[in-house]
Amino acid sequence: PMGICFADPDGRIILCNNKMRKLSFLLCGRAPQMSEDLAVAIAVPDESVTVTDSECYIMPDKTVWQFCTQLITVDGDGRWSQTTAHNVTELYNGNLRQKEINAKLQEVNRKLQKMYERMADDIREKESLDLKIYIHDTIGRSLLTIRDIIGSGEDAGKKLEALQEAVSVLTSNRTAPGGTMD
């Protein structure tokens, strides 16, 4: 499932599996003879191959590969090289799907944020309207009460007491009258 290639200290490829050979053909149109050939093919692939920012190589067949070259030690000599190719198609496509989901979630989050802001405005407007209705109703009742008091046939003292009570409702001051008007 993975491509692998080994080169001796002089850069001659001594072992290259079929998968790496096929990938080399996709990258540059031929099988590499030297490690330098493979390095150039990876660095400057054919125009049919797309290289992403994350150094993934999207082949014409839509498979996605990552290449890694490292030095290894063979018989005490650390100048041997190993190049591997890993098929990361599922991971790459999963990341693309996750980015799409994240973008959709950000849009939903933005819409929810706007909705919450509008809800706060709506609540403030409703509270303001409720307060206006309450004040309107209270003043209306008080004015009707005052009109009824003035138009009633009671004596002046009782009218004054009832009038003070009505005014105290309007001013939300429910203290008893301190004196008389005598």
Side-chain angles (χ1 to χ4, degrees):
M2 68 182 280
I4 191 161
C5 180
F6 293 98
D8 68 11
D10 295 326
R12 289 183 302 258
I13 293 179
I14 57 166
L15 177 65
C16 184
N17 71 355
N18 283 335
K19 182 60 74 176
M20 185 63 88
R21 195 177 291 30
K22 288 177 185 177
L23 290 171
S24 295
F25 271 101
L26 291 173
L27 289 171
C28 65
R30 60 187 172 86
Q33 299 298 312
M34 302 290 287
S35 61
E36 183 68 25
D37 298 339
L38 185 56
V40 169
I42 293 170
V44 186
D46 184 74
E47 57 188 42
S48 66
V49 176
T50 303
V51 182
T52 68
D53 293 339
S54 56
E55 295 185 24
C56 292
Y57 292 74
I58 303 172
M59 301 298 177
D61 65 356
K62 303 300 181 206
T63 58
V64 183
W65 295 84
Q66 278 189 326
F67 293 89
C68 177
T69 301
Q70 59 190 29
L71 292 176
I72 59 172
T73 302
V74 176
D75 294 330
D77 188 350
R79 298 177 298 143
W80 288 71
S81 69
Q82 168 185 296
T83 301
T84 56
H86 302 274
N87 187 336
V88 294
T89 305
E90 285 184 39
L91 182 62
Y92 182 82
N93 291 334
N95 282 338
L96 288 179
R97 284 190 299 276
Q98 189 62 48
K99 285 179 184 178
E100 289 172 5
I101 290 169
N102 286 345
K104 289 177 183 176
L105 285 175
Q106 284 179 339
E107 178 63 20
V108 167
N109 192 26
R110 186 188 61 75
K111 288 179 180 178
L112 282 173
Q113 191 65 33
K114 281 182 131 178
M115 183 184 73
Y116 287 138
E117 289 170 6
R118 281 192 306 248
M119 264 181 23
D121 291 341
D122 290 347
I123 289 170
R124 278 192 294 277
E125 286 178 22
K126 184 184 180 318
E127 288 173 348
S128 176
L129 180 61
D130 289 347
L131 182 60
K132 289 175 183 178
I133 290 171
Y134 172 75
I135 291 170
H136 176 269
D137 290 350
T138 303
I139 290 175
R141 278 192 304 270
S142 298
L143 290 174
L144 287 174
T145 302
I146 292 170
R147 187 184 74 187
D148 290 345
I149 291 169
I150 293 173
S152 72
E154 299 174 359
D155 66 5
K158 285 187 178 179
K159 283 184 180 180
L160 185 59
E161 245 179 74
L163 191 56
Q164 285 176 334
E165 176 66 25
V167 170
S168 70
V169 168
L170 278 173
T171 62
S172 296
N173 184 8
R174 295 240 177 220
T175 59
T180 61
M181 299 285 288
D182 296 333

